[in-house]
Each structure stands twice: as structure tokens, then as C-alpha cells.
Amino acid sequence: MNEKKILEKIEQSAEKIQIPKHLQPEEVKKMISVKKRNRNVLYRSAAAVIALMLCGALCYPALLGTGQDKDAVYDGGVVDTEMASGRIDEGIQMSDVVGPSASSTEEIRKPKQNAGSLYTIAKDYGEVYDVFEERGMLKYEYDMGDGGMEESLTGVAESDQAPVKDLAVRKLAADAAKEYSRTNLQTEGVDESDFVKTDGEFIYVVKGNSVIIVDARGDKPVRRGEIVLQDEGASDDVLEMYVDGDVLNIIVQREVTELELDSDEIGNNEAEDVYHFASDVVTEVMTYDIRDRAKPVLKGNMRQDGYYQSSRKIGNIIYLFTGKGAEAPEAPRNQAIKEENVGGWIPLVNGKAVAYDSIYLSESGTQGLLISSVDVRRPKETIDQTYILNDYAEIYVSQEALYLYYNDYRMNSGTRTNIAKFSLSGGRIDAAGAAAVKGVVKDTFAVNESADEKLRILTTMDGWNTDEEGSCLYILDEKLKLTGKLEGIAPGEQVYAARYFGNMAYFVTYRNTDPLFAVDLSDDTSPRLLGELKITGFSEYLHFWGDDKLVGIGYETDPDSGERKGMKITMFDISDPIHLKELKSLVIRDIDYSAALYDYKSVLADAGQNLLGFPVESYGAEEAYKYLLFEWDGKAFKELLAESFGEKTEKGSRGMYIGEKFIIATTEKIMFFDRNEGYEFVANLVL
């Protein structure tokens, strides 16, 4: 049966079927696009054909083409009409295969470098395909990608010169000058997305498939605006966001559904064809102009394949990291790597395949990390993109560079950590070096770049017969060449928490007691262990409290049995690194867990405002969820607030302050407390 006959049968069956509202053609065409896959027929039975006919009412508009591109964006804000128009393209032309955009600088166009022998740039798509085939990463189907859309947004980040729609929003009186808290970050100057943000006047909360904008300038929280994603799919989800002045960037993960054509053999469109639904996951950065908070305006979006893994924002540039499994078509090699077909198996960014000279290959691995950079002032023009074939790698981002590191297990010789450095110059992502060090990284803050681009990394030996070797500290230069090391620290113990302050490293190891170590890094050829302090329990998170103190958050334990006795916060005196001191600890009984131990963004730690806050959970006879807030009075921790929640919320909670208001925000409600009145409850807003 040829395509024409199939379409006739689909049209006939469509007239007889009652279609639910959410599956009306106008809704379906928003999320379904046609990409013709040439593939051996797996289903020839009459039942398969009947099933196809039953779904005809859904598929027919997409099959015929509607002039609507699947990458068009729709939401509850104001949509630019230029963005919502497009076309359905079949296949990818060579002009659609992207490396740097035409508007990029000469620096962006320069050939990318290898990361030593750890990651090497592909010579062509044929080499990429050969690696896929060698590692058994072929699939029994073949598809092609679609083109993307581009649009420019200028002047948003510098919006002080832009016309103002809502003068109240731009009030520059005392409210704008109030101090307010920011998201707790791993690296100063490198912003991170979160599900709650504030700009000192408004609070932004992710809830399901929407972002709610709350006015926090008055005595009570007032709902001011909302961005709602249209019903594009049950799995579509707003994850996190960035707020910078009058620009709001939200990160959305979508499941894109497509109608695909199974064919008897590659290139044979006259065979008995059977259509099937297929889905894939993509991640988007959607950029809004929020000068009028009541009416956010969508200015553009960028989309790339894969599940959301992380993101960072440096200045105006967002770096988006997604995980994309590597899989190539099982097809004749020459046909599989044709220029017009690579979009069927090479990841897409804005509907365009990543160029082969932006693909890094490694010795092993069947997963991929896709990285793109986008300037929020031009939200549809990616600056650069890189696809790295590897297994899962952790991410650390400084203001100048990206580091990827992962464990490499070696039989009978322990483990090592492989590290690759990529420079981030104006959004360009280019390898700058690679190295390997003994041991594995146990804490997010154990990896750090100094002001002079030295990489400091703390590891724990973790392998065959190596536990007694303890932990290690390595210093590498800007090319990842080893300059100095300190090995054999605390044999038999693991690094639980770490922090770097200037030329000092502080870290906690643990077995039955909690030693805090101080290491001098001023001589990068010879780091020196200066001091050690042992107390009971252990810290999972460390945060500097001014220049001479350090807060630890963790658990109190029995020194003999290791049994946990409750959650513990400790104030350390580090004014003399040789003679470290415990100033005071507070053990909080009947607490079983806190997100503060593993998610640093859930912690509010502000020595200037003398506030330490985080959520906690208890699992006794009844589950209990609270937000705890403390101050340090110079001698001990004093509880300021303990707010209980009826049940655990979708994403947890965040504590923040705006001037004299203290705020606890969840996906369900926002609560105001008066700092001048002993943190008395003022009002809340149910979202």
C-alpha cells in the first residue's frame, strides 16, 4: 500500500472517530512532526494497519503538513508571531549542519583542540559512525532531523534604556535598594538555576508547567503574573530558571512525540508502510522580557536534544548541559553518513546536527554530553555547541573554564579520576587539557579553580586494597600539568566535605570521628598540612562564615559505634589554621535528613545578615517537614524560626530575605515573616 492510499484510509477513518479535546488536530500538530524513517518493516499484519487507521484522525493533519514547525513555541505569555511560524522540513541539508553561527567571531570559528588523548575531535561523520558501530550502538531504524528557527533579542539585558510598560515594576526608591539573598552557588560569579529566585522586588516560583511571579514589595505577597506552558504533552515540565534584571530564562524539558514511517527497505517508499509513534526528550531555554511582570513577553528559545543535566550562567551567556544517549542507524555505512541524513543520529541543537568537528570521541562510553552556549540577548542563536561521547561525567564550571571529571576503575590498582578542561571564552567551548589523578572525588566542592587558574582537587583512594592509603590533594596548572601534591591524608577515611578559601583548603574526612584539616596551598609545588581538629560526628557541607570561621552541617554520631544521634551544625574557628578550634556545636534531635547535606542550593548561609537556614525531615511515628533558621550570637547557635509543613512539597523549600522580610517559598505557597518582630508570621500566598 503506498502513501497516497494510506492517507485516503486515514481520512476516511478520521470522519468516524470522536476525538478528545486535548487530542484535537490543532493540539496534536503542536507536538507531532513527521520525519520519514526508512526502515525494514516490522509490522505487516492487518492489525497494525487497523491501528494506524484508528489513529488517523490524530495523524492526518501532521501528515499533510500544516505550515507549523514543531519547534514553534507557545506559552501563557505574549508570543512573537515570527517565532510561532515556520515550516516542516524533511531531512537536513548541509547548510543546516551547525558549528559556529555565521555571526560568530573569528575566535569561534577556529578549529577545536583535542583534550589530550582523553577526548579527540572527530575527523568526519564517518569516524563517528565507526565508533558507534564498534561499540554496538546501532539501532534498527533510521531517521532524519528538522531545521530550526532563529530570531534576535537585543537590549533586554541592558533594559534600563528600554521603554517601561509598568512603572511600578521599575520603582527605584528604597525598595530597590534593599538587600536580598541570592541562590547559594558553588562558584562566585557563576550563576546557577533554581526553582525559586528573587530579584529583591519579586519572587519567581516554578510550579508544574508554569512560573508564578509574586510581588514582594508590600506587606503581603501578591500574585502579579504567570507564565504557563500550553498543553503540549503530559511530560512537559518547567525545571528551573534564571532571573537577571528584566530577563527571565526558564529551562523546560519536553517529550517530543513524532509520527514515523516504517518502510520495507531503505529508500523504498512503495512498500507496505506502517506508521508508529515515537518520542524523544529535548531541553529548552526560553527567554522572556519581564519588564511588565503581569505580561511576560517570550523573546526566543533554543532547544537541544537530551535530558537536562545542568546549566550555568556567566554574564549574559547560559551554558546548557544535556545527556543524550548515543545511537546510530543500522544501515549501509555510506548511506548512514550522508550529509543530509546525519540529523537522524547526531544530536540536534535548534533542529540542526552538531558539526563533526565539534564532536569529541573517547576510548570508551556509550553516552553523550551535549553542551550549548547561548547569549540571552540573542536567545535563538547558539554561540557554540559540543557533543562529547563518554559515560557520565561530573561538571565543575569556573568563570573561565569547564571541567569534566569521572571515575576510571582499574582492576587491582585502585581508581583514578580523569579530568578534561574546556575553555569558555565568549561562549566558545574548546578543549584546553586533560589529566588523571589517583582516587575519586567524593564531594562537589572538592574541585576548585584558583584565581590564577590552578585546579585544586581532593580525592579519596577507593579501589582494590587501597582504602588505607587515605585521601590526596593535587594541584594542576592551567594546562592540567601536575605541579604539586599531598598524599596519604587520614588513612582509612574518606573526604566528606571540602571548601577552598584563597590559598587555603579545608576539608573533613570521616570514619568514626570528624577530623577537620587545613592545608596551605600558597606554594603550588608543595602543599602543606597545617592543622587538624578531631570532633565527634561528621560534616557533609562546609560554608565560610566571614574570613575566620567555618560552618559545618552534618550528623552527630557515637564515636564507637558510628550510630547517628541527630543532625549537627558546628562553628569552627579557622583564624589560626595551625590551631583549629570548635567554637560550638548544636545537635538537633529527631531529624533524619536534610537537603542541605546534598543540595547546597537549599542552604541559606549569610554571615553578613547572620542567617543560617535549611529544610529538615523526620520519619518517626509521623513524617514531619520543617524549615529551620538560626543565627550565631558569638557563642552559640540560636533558633530564630522553625516553620512546619503539612507534607513534603514537590521540590522542597527555599528560605530567603528581602530587606526586613524573611520568606519561605515552596511550590505550594509563599510565607512572609517580619524580621523586626522576632520573625513573627505576617501573611502567606497559596500558589
Side-chain angles (χ1 to χ4, degrees):
M1 182 182 298
N2 60 30
E3 185 172 319
K4 182 178 179 181
K5 292 181 179 179
I6 287 179
L7 295 179
E8 290 175 353
K9 290 183 177 292
I10 290 173
E11 187 173 12
Q12 293 170 4
S13 63
E15 297 174 355
K16 303 176 182 180
I17 298 176
Q18 191 71 24
I19 307 171
K21 181 179 180 180
H22 70 284
L23 294 178
Q24 290 286 343
E26 286 302 316
E27 296 297 320
V28 173
K29 72 183 181 182
K30 294 177 182 177
M31 66 178 180
I32 299 179
S33 66
V34 178
K35 295 194 301 181
K36 186 175 291 186
R37 283 186 179 173
N38 295 321
R39 169 181 170 180
N40 291 339
V41 171
L42 298 179
Y43 312 103
R44 286 176 173 248
S45 67
V49 175
I50 292 172
L52 171 65
M53 293 169 62
L54 289 176
C55 75
L58 310 181
C59 311
Y60 181 60
L63 285 168
L64 294 182
T66 63
Q68 176 78 45
D69 193 289
K70 77 182 179 86
D71 288 333
V73 179
Y74 354 82
D75 66 282
V78 179
V79 182
D80 286 1
T81 55
E82 291 180 9
M83 290 191 58
S85 64
R87 68 182 190 281
I88 295 178
D89 296 325
E90 292 199 8
I92 289 185
Q93 304 303 317
M94 194 56 195
S95 60
D96 290 330
V97 177
V98 297
S101 66
S103 61
S104 301
T105 64
E106 289 299 324
E107 178 68 21
I108 296 295
R109 295 191 186 98
K110 287 170 55 178
K112 295 189 177 184
Q113 306 299 309
N114 292 332
S117 59
L118 191 60
Y119 300 117
T120 57
I121 286 289
K123 298 182 179 66
D124 51 38
Y125 287 123
E127 183 180 15
V128 180
Y129 186 86
D130 291 343
V131 169
F132 281 32
E133 184 175 37
E134 176 186 330
R135 297 178 190 172
M137 295 147 49
L138 300 186
K139 59 183 178 180
Y140 199 59
E141 52 197 310
Y142 190 67
D143 64 343
M144 294 179 287
D146 297 314
M149 299 177 292
E150 298 181 357
E151 183 190 18
S152 176
L153 168 62
T154 58
V156 174
E158 298 81 19
S159 58
D160 287 345
Q161 304 301 320
V164 178
K165 295 183 180 180
D166 180 2
L167 294 179
V169 171
R170 303 297 301 160
K171 187 170 78 169
L172 299 177
D175 283 347
K178 287 180 179 177
E179 294 184 356
Y180 63 94
S181 54
R182 276 79 167 176
T183 300
N184 193 17
L185 305 175
Q186 181 180 8
T187 306
E188 184 178 354
V190 181
D191 198 6
E192 299 185 41
S193 57
D194 202 1
F195 76 93
V196 175
K197 289 279 190 178
T198 182
D199 56 14
E201 294 186 342
F202 295 86
I203 301 168
Y204 308 82
V205 182
V206 171
K207 181 177 176 62
N209 66 344
S210 68
V211 175
I212 299 172
I213 303 174
V214 176
D215 193 336
R217 294 171 295 180
D219 295 333
K220 299 179 180 181
V222 177
R223 191 179 185 125
R224 186 63 64 193
E226 185 173 6
I227 298 170
V228 181
L229 296 184
Q230 295 273 331
D231 235 346
E232 296 191 22
S235 63
D236 291 354
D237 195 16
V238 178
L239 303 178
E240 296 177 332
M241 63 190 155
Y242 293 93
V243 177
D244 188 359
D246 292 323
V247 181
L248 173 67
N249 296 283
I250 65 175
I251 297 171
V252 180
Q253 187 168 279
R254 305 182 187 276
E255 184 171 310
V256 179
T257 304
E258 299 167 344
L259 185 65
E260 297 178 346
L261 176 65
D262 299 328
S263 185
D264 184 32
E265 56 185 52
I266 294 175
N268 180 8
N269 293 326
E270 298 301 321
E272 286 192 16
D273 296 333
V274 176
Y275 289 95
H276 70 280
F277 285 103
S279 62
D280 203 356
V281 172
V282 299
T283 303
E284 292 187 16
V285 176
M286 303 177 68
T287 300
Y288 288 84
D289 181 344
I290 54 171
R291 284 173 289 183
D292 183 348
R293 264 60 173 186
K295 297 179 180 178
V297 179
L298 178 65
K299 301 304 295 185
N301 73 316
M302 67 83 66
R303 169 185 289 196
Q304 69 184 48
D305 284 351
Y307 290 88
Y308 178 66
Q309 185 166 330
S310 190
S311 66
R312 298 292 189 274
K313 183 174 181 288
I314 304 174
N316 288 318
I317 299 175
I318 291 178
Y319 296 88
L320 181 64
F321 302 84
T322 58
K324 174 63 176 175
E327 199 174 37
E330 186 176 54
R333 181 184 184 279
N334 290 339
Q335 181 163 356
I337 61 175
K338 280 185 177 180
E339 294 172 351
E340 67 271 19
N341 292 337
V342 295
W345 55 283
I346 297 295
L348 305 180
V349 178
N350 276 350
K352 303 175 183 180
V354 176
Y356 65 80
D357 56 2
S358 289
I359 298 176
Y360 283 90
L361 304 176
S362 59
E363 292 182 357
S364 62
T366 59
Q367 299 299 310
L369 178 65
L370 181 57
I371 313 168
S372 294
S373 56
V374 58
D375 190 323
V376 299
R377 295 167 299 181
R378 292 175 287 277
K380 297 201 63 187
E381 299 177 9
T382 56
I383 301 171
D384 196 12
Q385 48 279 139
T386 292
Y387 184 57
I388 301 172
L389 183 63
N390 192 21
D391 285 326
Y392 185 83
E394 297 287 349
I395 295 167
Y396 166 67
V397 181
S398 69
Q399 293 189 41
E400 303 293 337
L402 156 69
Y403 295 87
L404 301 180
Y405 59 96
Y406 64 93
N407 299 339
D408 185 4
Y409 295 89
R410 301 284 172 136
M411 186 69 70
N412 299 321
S413 62
T415 57
R416 69 181 190 182
T417 297
N418 290 335
I419 313 161
K421 177 181 180 180
F422 295 81
S423 63
L424 302 177
S425 177
R428 174 179 163 82
I429 308 159
D430 193 8
V437 296
K438 292 181 181 179
V440 297
V441 176
K442 293 288 189 177
D443 180 65
T444 298
F445 289 88
V447 182
N448 175 267
E449 184 187 81
S450 66
D452 57 353
E453 296 188 56
K454 299 293 193 303
L455 182 70
R456 295 86 67 89
I457 182 167
L458 275 159
T459 65
T460 295
M461 300 303 294
D462 185 18
W464 293 90
N465 303 318
T466 59
D467 288 341
E468 294 304 314
E469 294 186 22
S471 298
C472 312
L473 191 151
Y474 298 98
I475 304 176
L476 301 93
D477 67 15
E478 64 276 8
K479 298 295 184 182
L480 292 193
K481 303 297 182 183
L482 182 68
T483 65
K485 62 182 179 179
L486 183 62
E487 297 179 324
I489 307 168
E493 299 186 359
Q494 296 185 4
V495 172
Y496 268 61
R499 265 289 158 99
Y500 297 86
F501 187 78
N503 287 321
M504 292 295 299
Y506 298 90
F507 57 96
V508 165
T509 63
Y510 177 73
R511 182 161 58 186
N512 287 329
T513 58
D514 179 1
L516 172 68
F517 293 95
V519 178
D520 182 0
L521 308 175
S522 55
D523 181 355
D524 57 27
T525 65
S526 182
R528 295 185 303 129
L529 181 62
L530 296 183
E532 177 183 353
L533 172 68
K534 289 188 177 182
I535 63 174
T536 57
F538 61 92
S539 298
E540 288 274 16
Y541 177 72
L542 297 174
H543 196 103
F544 290 107
W545 199 260
D547 296 337
D548 58 359
K549 289 185 280 295
L550 183 67
V551 174
I553 304 176
Y555 291 108
E556 176 65 296
T557 61
D558 184 295
D560 298 319
S561 66
E563 179 185 359
R564 294 182 182 180
K565 295 183 175 181
M567 193 171 174
K568 179 180 181 180
I569 52 178
T570 303
M571 185 66 79
F572 297 101
D573 182 348
I574 58 172
S575 58
D576 182 356
I578 297 177
H579 302 99
L580 302 170
K581 299 177 183 178
E582 178 191 12
L583 295 178
K584 192 67 175 180
S585 289
L586 173 65
V587 178
I588 311 168
R589 305 291 179 180
D590 302 320
I591 298 297
D592 296 300
Y593 173 78
S594 172
L597 306 176
Y598 309 106
D599 178 10
Y600 54 87
K601 288 189 282 189
S602 70
V603 178
L604 170 65
D606 192 319
Q609 296 288 322
N610 197 15
L611 296 175
L612 176 67
F614 47 83
V616 296
E617 302 177 17
S618 301
Y619 311 129
E622 294 184 0
E623 293 186 1
Y625 305 93
K626 295 181 180 180
Y627 189 91
L628 302 180
L629 183 67
F630 301 90
E631 68 174 1
W632 171 253
D633 67 4
K635 296 181 179 180
F637 291 101
K638 177 183 177 183
E639 185 180 280
L640 298 175
L641 181 64
E643 181 67 22
S644 297
F645 305 104
E647 58 184 19
K648 188 173 183 178
T649 56
E650 179 186 358
K651 295 178 180 289
S653 60
R654 295 288 187 263
M656 65 188 74
Y657 63 85
I658 299 176
E660 299 308 317
K661 303 183 187 78
F662 188 79
I663 299 151
I664 300 176
T666 74
T667 55
E668 304 303 319
K669 63 181 177 178
I670 293 178
M671 292 160 278
F672 275 21
F673 301 85
D674 190 338
R675 296 174 65 188
N676 288 329
E677 298 295 332
Y679 289 84
E680 178 182 337
F681 174 77
V682 175
N684 69 14
L685 174 67
V686 177
L687 301 178

